[in-house]
Amino acid sequence: MEYNFLEIEKRWQKFWADHKTFKAEDNSVKPKYYVLDMFPYPSGAGLHVGHPLGYIASDIVARYKRHKGFNVLHPMGYDSFGLPAEQYAIQTGQHPSVTTTQNIARYREQLDKIGFSFDWDREVKTSDPQYYKWTQWIFIQIFNSWYDKSADKAQPISSLIAEFEKNGNGSVNAVCDDDIKTFSSEDWKQFSEKEKSDVLMRYRLAYLGEAYVNWCPALGTVLANDEVKDGVSERGGHPVERKLMKQWSMRITAYAQRLLDGLEKIDWTESLKESQRYWIGRSEGTSLRFKIQGHPDIEVFTTRPDTIFGVSFVTIAPEHDLVNAITTPAQKQAVEEYVIKTKNRSERERQADVNTVSGVFTGAYVIHPFSAQQIPVWIGDYVLAGYGTGAVMAVPGHDERDYKFAKHFNLPIPEVVAGGDLSKEAYAAKEGILINSDFLNGLSVKEAIKKAIEKIEEKKIGHGKVNFRLRDAVFGRQRYWGEPIPIYYVNDIPHALNENELPLVLPEVDKYLPTEDGEPPLARAAENWKKDGKYNYEASTMPGWAGSSWYFLRYMDPHNGSEFADRKLMDYWQNIDLYIGGSEHATGHLLYVRFWTKFLNDMGFIGVDEPAKKLINQGMIQGRSNFVYSLVGSSLFISYDIIKKYTDAPHSREELKKLIQARFPDIEPAALDSLRIQKLHVDVNIVENDVLQKENFKKWRDDLGNATFMDEEDKYICGVEIEKMSKSKYNVVSPDDISERFGADTLRLYEMFLGPLEQSKPWNTNGITGVSGFLKKLWRLFASTPLSVTPSTPLSVTPSTPLSVTPSTPLSNTASLNVTEAEPTKAELKTLHKTIKKITEDIERFSFNTSVSNFMICVNELTDAKCNKRAILEPLLICLSPYAPHITEELWHLLGHKESIVFEKFPEVNESYLVDDAFTYPISFNGKMRFNIELPATLTVPEIEKEVMGREEVQKYLEGKTPKKIIIVPKKIVNIVV
RNA sequence: GCUCCCGUGGUGGAACAGGUAGACACGCAGGACUUAAAAUCCUGUAGCUUCACGGCUGUACCGGUUCGAUUCCGGUCGGGAGUACCA
């Protein structure tokens, strides 16, 4: 009987699908467990071996938890809106939905071959109108809300309107735009409809507002901060510039503090929490107003109010509102030139040379609030318009950037905190004693900060303030392939659609490009794409992160047509117990999904305020590229080991020439003469253990048919480098190929065996024979005949057995196996229970690589013991089934079971089998090992001490001296300190 | 620059709470079976030293705490990830 994995895996995958084995129950008395993978964007390239890594881990946990008696929710879906499908559409004219559907089908086919236990009935696709109907609905809820600081939660906008009508906005404590004028209830009632709408817009959590955004001209759209890396777009790498635009945004800043606090109670990795903390960027400081003759005050934010007497100038951003107003006629030209210059610099240039100091004097002066001195106002692009107030009080003595600026423009650098050497550099440390600072003199920095805030508040020129680095999230995208924003305009006033008008379905367009006058592609929609036939819809669409910000909830009730999900179901499933995905989503998706969860919780739609209790970032699997070395001008390929030997020094190159000439006399003289060697990527699929398969290589490309090889012992060795897995590098390994050659179970085990889940590592197929051999060994434990007298009769197990065989009538029967009903020995029970214990611990702490090792140890021991007893093998199968579901299911049925192994209870550890009769203690003196003593394992610590001290060898070593201390670590060691 | 993570054999990696470092696997070497190959099985495999028993050195480097450190603390070097004029 052979282990025919291809036939077995296909058959069981079909069985599970037909029987809906992995259906999650909505009404269950069992405890729930929700394991979720970050759903993929279905790209055209299909899956490579790196993609399923996290899915395999989550699948193991899901299957394990089922064995442990949990009702498991383990769904999968697709984040199917996105840029690549749209760009493909622009090039080919093919509708993105067509490409997306094809890609999804391909993904599904590949996923199915790995034997995942997903409940496919719950599949969601963000581009499905029945899904994005509810994305739009949630958008409307956010649009119809404002953030009440007093209650510290979102509230319906109707409550704000009621307050305006009653009392105006005087006592409203909201997170909103910061330059809203105060109005009374009478004022409010006088406002026109448009004015009312504008005012409300400044309070809404989803709002249309003017803001500096990341504009990407090449993509023709705005991008969120997390979609921009190093000044270029994350997708495509196009330059990005700052642009003032009217855009839909989300007031995520309202949730900054709660997003920060929430991190404390969730089990995510420290590094991930750290990057979210950094992204949110809370800083405590003081807001402070400087008076300026004839103009509104200039407000600054500082974390160092203690250095107030060290201020020698004030710097404002080039985009600051007051730039034009305060500039004196004499400076007007210089300022204008500077402002235009900085505006034209792309964000990337601006970031690239952060060390170049630039700025210009406005000619204006502010008055120092305490010393009453005149302080010059400068413009500098090191001050960012978007952070704080866009203005800083410059303290060159104690801030590096101010220091550089002052040095460059020869401005005074007063010292107000003792401890540094200001002739060399700024002293920015927050320690030291204040000097030259009037009422702050002699205080420590900490005390001075407190005192300065007191004085500032006393003078009513400012107050203590917390600032966040986090900016509101731009929500509109000038793209086609996204959710339409459910807004229409009547006389330029935006209105949200009603629930019964959803979904607002994405209209057909003739082209997927912006219109000639720069409107987003949706503006190309036919004339009749209008609300009630006359009102224009919003033409921008939602960003990629909209659909993924709540999908974990939709899985709980994916087909609900009347709500985004039923509250009862959401209360049962709560939130994700284990979430697995890449760390690249740390400051994007993972922040937005927390934001929406908190919002939905505020509004009472859901009962949880964090989406995931535990999160694991799986590492990236890199590609392992192979190279061949061609002699330019010839068809000769030289093996890497020869290249390595002969290319370092010039004289060895001469030797190489001679060598080539000796072995290949017919070589083209010109090629030999120049001896240029070109390194070329070679498809890793025609390389085995870094040895080139020459025949396949010749067939790989047409021009290689007459390739000749120079190598040693007929082995052409390829060069190796670790790179990102990509088609162009010919280093993509497809999971399909691995499954075909070794089986899906082997693929699953090997991906886990490769190393810790969270670590990035290169894919290397070389080691796979280890796990493949392990499964064969396991099979032989059941099917071989090491003990039996008569070999098992070979049943009709031809590999071509048709799939129609229903697994409830097993392919063959127990007779074909060689498993006995004999009583297991103590040693066999120990092997089994040791394994159960280790595996349980391994899974509970997500250490999948060690658990694979532990299975191998177990099977090795059982093979050595020639153990083929049912009482040992059956529990082992259950333990292994989360990892290698197909082979275990097959053997389980061959053992005569009718039910799927999926529903079996996970075996419990019986500790009594693990207790040894005797235990060997290493005895050390002062930490140095000397010898071992065997003692009964049941002894208590004092008994061990007594026994050890009674031994002749110990006494001999002590030579009559009394030990100072005896340290006994039960089951480990006895250390005697002399 | 800042923040976080990590440095263990030829390789991937184990060592979970400070207690016999190198489990397990790959690779390599030798052997068995075979006409041969594949497959399978057995033995060895950190370094130095010893005929051998054994001994010594070893977890990037330097130092500390401890009877005992891969593990804890301080410093240095090297690698990776995130982030970047955030006042």
Side-chain angles (χ1 to χ4, degrees), chain A residues 314-353:
Chain A
V314 164
T315 317
I316 61 175
E319 298 92 346
H320 198 277
D321 289 343
L322 291 176
V323 165
N324 288 327
I326 63 172
T327 302
T328 57
Q331 293 299 102
K332 200 170 163 54
Q333 202 191 339
V335 167
E336 273 174 7
E337 275 170 17
Y338 182 71
V339 169
I340 288 167
K341 203 182 93 193
T342 51
K343 228 179 224 167
N344 287 341
R345 281 172 86 193
S346 75
E347 191 67 355
R348 191 181 192 182
E349 285 174 80
R350 211 162 145 170
Q351 281 182 11
D353 55 13

Side-chain angles (χ1 to χ4, degrees), chain A residues 581-614:
Chain A
S583 58
E584 66 273 21
H585 299 108
T587 50
H589 163 62
L590 288 174
L591 207 53
Y592 299 126
V593 69
R594 294 183 60 220
F595 162 41
W596 280 33
T597 303
K598 286 184 192 300
F599 169 78
L600 291 170
N601 180 245
D602 280 358
M603 302 306 282
F605 295 124
I606 61 174
V608 295
D609 79 336
E610 283 291 344
K613 293 191 187 97
K614 166 134 188 111

